[in-house]
Amino acid sequence: MEQRIEYRFDEIDRRLDKVEARLENVEARLENLESRMDTAETRIDHQGNRIDELIDICLALRHGQEIMSAQIHSLNERFDKVERSMDFFAGRIGIMEKDIYILKHAN
């Protein structure tokens, strides 16, 4: 009877050892997963920062584009005024349309 009880205790000890080994394995996996989660969170934070930087760059580029568009519009208006002035003065001094075309496009 004592041998049987001792055998049962040995069996329980072996099973406990197996359970402890599995538990240690699970704990190691959990630590690995936690480490991976920390790495993923760090990457996500970096990506978020990069996205914020790209948004700021896009807004700056859009602002620059609006400024350039306004400057081009202003230059076009000035060019139109210069062309009208050239046409007016060319007419005053008697230059023909063909001569004005040649003068305008002679590069």
Side-chain angles (χ1 to χ4, degrees), residues 54-65:
L54 288 173
I55 288 172
D56 291 343
I57 290 169
C58 287
L59 291 174
L61 287 172
R62 181 175 294 149
H63 179 69
Q65 181 183 10

Side-chain angles (χ1 to χ4, degrees), residues 38-39 52 78 101:
D38 290 342
T39 301
D52 290 342
R78 288 180 182 175
Y101 178 83

